[in-house]
Amino acid sequence: MDRTSIIKVITLMVTAFGIGIDFTGALMLVPAIENSFDADITSSQWVLNIYALFFAMTMVAGGRLGDMYGHRRVMIIGLTIFLFSSVLCFVAPGLDYLIGARALQGIGAGCVWPCTLAFGATKVSKPEHRALVMGLILAGVTTGNVFGPMISGAAVNFGDWRLFFLANVVFSCISMATAVLLMERETQHKQGEHIDFAGMGILSFAVLLLLYGLDVGADWGWTSVPLLLLFFVSAVLFILFPRVEKRVKEPLLLPQLMQNREFLITLGLNMFNVSAAFVGLLYFPQYMQKVLGWSVLQSALGLAPLTVLLAVGSIVSGTLYNDFGPKRLLFWGYLCATVGAASIVVMPAGLGYFQILPGMALIGLGATLTVGPSGTAAVCAVKPERAGLVGGLSFMTHLVYGAISVAGATAVMYVTSLSSLRKQLEAAGISMSEADQKVLNGGTLATDSAQAILRHLNPAEVEKVKAAISTAFDSGMNMAFAFATLSVAVGIVLALMLDEQKLHKVEG
């Protein structure tokens, strides 16, 4: 690449780095947020899910706005929103306020990310460098994924998890400065474009209802009428979505792409690769903190086999894409991720960190070989002027399914761990109300609610309860990864079905 292209790529990597820090760093804060706001895991998971959902649903609009008005301009607007919402996260007085601020962060990131991808895909000097540039941008994100947990760990060690969002403000300012100073203004844009707000609204509401149903299912009862009605409305909206898409002028799902079997398979490959990685990013740190008793900073270092592989692998997969093609990379990546998720389920309890280490490494390797190639395959399959739209669409499916996976896995985990806790307390001869069991099962023992329950027990009973909670969490985590294993395994089948030659003729 020439000097100008290298400067552009570095600028895009800086922006991607800031986005990557926010995602994994916030995940490490979940136990600290539970303690601060006296919340449980089914509520605190929204810190991840609401961000992923709004990030996903904004990306297609962000990509199309970039195509229409310039990727540089929309990127700077998105960074401004991201910076403002980071300040709101820093001053959040309660969990609901924090979740709202995270939703706004998702909107900002949803404007930044597809424009970053599109700028990299269309502004390099030679088309054959496109896969490498995409890999470098993803390396910027995943390098941020590595440093994010360390920054959040340091924030907690300094005594306040809110300091992490102050760091977000700093990196947002750096990203804005590099974008303004180093990225060239675009003079030609697509004309006559329209944004499918109807499709975005229906799909967003359908996913939001589904996630909320999975969140409250354990409290309402999985067969309760209100919950079934919630799932029914969500299903109706999902069914209504493609009908609406046929009527709008510029749908999210372009007909010429959606009628192509290979492109749909590629979108599926963008979806299922995220399940094990998202579940791992949520539960591995909690396992290290709640079961092994590690600090947030120790947990961040313990997560390195997953995050470092993601960072290094993005560059490697970008260089391998042209040599091996997406089919082989995706097949072996999905196979590694499936074996890794399954290993968490079958590894015997009591091994400590080594119970999760092999699975963590394999999931990281699997994500390395699937995330970049699946996104690159989708973007490279269309004309350059569609790069922003398709980049947003591919990562939209990626994040929406990631949020659904986390919600589904958390629902399975919560039910399993609660059942295990109940059986162990009965075996230990400790009588406890169902409400108290839910409090202990859902959060950490440092919350005010948990401490109030433990004060009614003698020291011997407290130790038995702590052991029971640790075992229950381990059982629940295993079932969460059983869910993830089945999900990721679908990708193996899709990778075998992919026909590369037909894929690259979508808009040839």
Side-chain angles (χ1 to χ4, degrees):
M1 287 188 291
D2 56 44
R3 182 174 178 273
T4 302
S5 294
I6 292 173
I7 291 174
K8 292 176 185 176
V9 172
I10 292 174
T11 302
L12 296 173
M13 289 180 70
V14 170
T15 302
F17 181 80
I19 297 294
I21 283 175
D22 180 74
F23 191 76
T24 53
L27 287 174
M28 297 295 298
L29 298 176
V30 168
I33 291 171
E34 289 174 1
N35 293 342
S36 181
F37 296 133
D38 199 6
D40 60 26
I41 183 60
T42 59
S43 299
S44 59
Q45 68 165 323
W46 283 95
V47 174
L48 166 65
N49 277 351
I50 202 69
Y51 176 85
L53 177 59
F54 276 80
F55 190 169
M57 299 315 302
T58 307
M59 271 196 295
V60 174
R64 180 158 282 174
L65 287 170
D67 293 338
M68 294 166 59
Y69 301 108
H71 300 117
R72 176 183 180 272
R73 180 185 299 175
V74 174
M75 186 186 300
I76 292 172
I77 292 172
L79 286 169
T80 304
I81 296 172
F82 192 85
L83 189 154
F84 175 69
S85 57
S86 297
V87 174
L88 294 182
C89 289
F90 176 70
V91 300
L95 183 60
D96 292 341
Y97 190 99
L98 176 62
I99 290 171
R102 287 284 289 168
L104 191 59
Q105 267 194 322
I107 293 173
C111 292
V112 173
W113 182 238
C115 292
T116 303
L117 293 175
F119 208 93
T122 59
K123 300 301 178 183
V124 293
S125 56
K126 296 181 181 180
E128 57 266 28
H129 291 155
R130 187 184 291 180
L132 174 60
V133 171
M134 296 290 282
L136 289 171
I137 293 172
L138 287 170
V141 169
T142 51
T143 302
N145 292 159
V146 174
F147 282 93
M150 297 179 187
I151 294 171
S152 59
V156 173
N157 278 359
F158 278 120
D160 192 349
W161 55 266
R162 298 171 188 274
L163 294 175
F164 170 76
F165 293 104
L166 190 60
N168 261 358
V169 173
V170 174
F171 285 110
S172 297
C173 291
I174 294 172
S175 297
M176 288 181 66
T178 56
V180 170
L181 296 175
L182 300 178
M183 290 179 66
E184 65 186 47
R185 294 178 183 271
E186 298 151 293
T187 57
Q188 294 183 345
H189 315 302
K190 284 185 67 64
Q191 302 296 322
E193 290 282 294
H194 295 81
I195 299 176
D196 180 16
F197 288 112
M200 287 173 55
I202 290 174
L203 186 58
S204 299
F205 198 47
V207 174
L208 190 62
L209 288 178
L210 176 60
L211 296 181
Y212 185 69
L214 292 171
D215 177 13
V216 301
D219 294 327
W220 290 8
W222 293 104
T223 58
S224 66
V225 174
L227 184 66
L228 294 177
L229 182 60
L230 198 67
F231 285 142
F232 174 76
V233 174
S234 176
V236 169
L237 290 174
F238 275 118
I239 294 171
L240 184 63
F241 174 67
R243 296 178 181 273
V244 172
E245 291 296 273
K246 292 179 181 179
R247 297 177 179 271
V248 297
K249 189 171 183 178
E250 292 282 351
L252 289 176
L253 309 180
L254 297 175
Q256 62 266 41
L257 299 182
M258 293 302 103
Q259 293 170 7
N260 184 283
R261 172 181 174 273
E262 305 308 321
F263 190 77
L264 289 175
I265 290 173
T266 304
L267 284 187
L269 289 165
N270 272 278
M271 286 172 51
F272 294 104
N273 56 16
V274 76
S275 185
F278 268 44
V279 173
L281 286 169
L282 180 62
Y283 284 110
F284 288 147
Q286 293 197 57
Y287 174 83
M288 287 182 267
Q289 293 177 54
K290 294 180 178 179
V291 177
L292 303 183
W294 291 10
S295 68
V296 177
L297 187 57
Q298 288 173 320
S299 301
L301 296 174
L303 196 63
L306 174 59
T307 54
V308 170
L309 270 172
L310 286 171
V312 175
S314 295
I315 301 176
V316 174
S317 65
T319 59
L320 295 177
Y321 184 91
N322 290 331
D323 294 331
F324 294 94
K327 186 182 181 76
R328 278 190 282 181
L329 293 179
L330 289 165
F331 171 77
W332 287 107
Y334 268 106
L335 185 62
C336 287
T338 303
V339 173
S343 73
I344 305 296
V345 181
V346 301
M347 289 288 281
L351 294 179
Y353 182 63
F354 293 99
Q355 180 182 343
I356 62 173
L357 179 59
M360 198 187 310
L362 284 170
I363 290 170
L365 179 60
T368 285
L369 296 175
T370 57
V371 174
S374 62
T376 302
V379 172
C380 291
V382 299
K383 297 176 181 178
E385 61 265 27
R386 293 292 186 189
L389 171 64
V390 172
L393 179 60
S394 62
F395 277 87
M396 180 190 78
T397 59
H398 182 83
L399 285 179
V400 166
Y401 189 74
I404 293 173
S405 293
V406 167
T410 299
V412 171
M413 182 270 181
Y414 184 84
V415 171
T416 303
S417 59
L418 183 60
S419 175
S420 173
L421 179 61
R422 183 180 298 115
K423 292 178 181 177
Q424 291 179 78
L425 292 177
E426 290 176 356
I430 298 175
S431 178
M432 189 178 296
S433 69
E434 184 175 346
D436 287 350
Q437 291 178 25
K438 289 182 177 180
V439 169
L440 295 178
N441 180 65
T444 69
L445 292 179
T447 63
D448 293 338
S449 298
Q451 287 296 311
I453 295 170
L454 295 181
R455 280 195 290 269
H456 291 88
L457 304 175
N458 62 52
E461 290 176 329
V462 169
E463 291 304 314
K464 290 180 181 179
V465 168
K466 289 181 178 180
I469 291 173
S470 177
T471 302
F473 182 90
D474 190 71
S475 299
M477 185 181 71
N478 288 347
M479 289 306 298
F481 276 99
F483 175 91
T485 300
L486 294 174
S487 180
V488 179
V490 176
I492 298 176
V493 179
L494 292 178
L496 291 172
M497 293 170 60
L498 183 66
D499 187 322
E500 291 177 338
Q501 292 184 346
K502 290 182 179 179
L503 171 68
H504 289 86
K505 293 178 181 177
V506 172
E507 285 197 342

